[in-house]
Amino acid sequence: MSDYSETIRKHRRLAILRHLEGCTDYTSNASILTDVLDGVGLPCSHSQVLTELYWLKENEFVTLQDRSGFVVAEATRAGAEIARGRAQHPEIQRPRPKA
């Protein structure tokens, strides 16, 4: 995988966690997350979003509920800490400081 592709993947993971952290109940679904990523300049397919969500789940940053193909993600405490910049993971971009 190229350095650019890896950078985009890390940024997608952070964008997902940041969106979840800002949602009521820290919850959103894969379809909305696809639109969110498009809106922040990280366009990707629904399949790519699911891949990132399942990676985040494996690393305990989100929990997932699959309701017959309708996937709902909820940030865990660890995921919210990454989104806020209070914790780090080498495979997720670190948030920039706020101005």
Side-chain angles (χ1 to χ4, degrees), residues 4-90:
Y4 180 73
S5 295
E6 190 59 31
T7 298
I8 294 299
R9 174 169 280 169
K10 289 176 181 182
H11 195 152
R12 281 184 186 140
R13 291 171 181 165
L14 175 62
I16 289 169
L17 291 174
R18 290 179 96 175
H19 177 75
L20 292 173
E21 195 269 333
C23 289
T24 303
D25 297 329
Y26 303 97
T27 303
S28 190
N29 68 63
S31 294
I32 289 172
L33 287 166
T34 301
D35 291 343
V36 166
L37 291 173
D38 283 346
V40 297
L42 296 166
C44 57
S45 69
H46 186 74
S47 176
Q48 288 172 310
V49 170
L50 291 176
T51 297
E52 298 305 343
L53 287 175
Y54 280 97
W55 184 91
L56 290 165
K57 178 186 176 195
E58 286 175 17
N59 288 278
E60 300 181 352
F61 297 122
V62 301
T63 59
L64 298 179
Q65 294 179 14
D66 188 340
R67 301 174 181 162
S68 301
F70 183 77
V71 177
V72 176
E74 180 178 350
T76 63
R77 178 173 292 188
E81 288 178 350
I82 294 272
R84 293 179 189 130
R86 294 183 181 163
Q88 294 179 335
H89 187 282

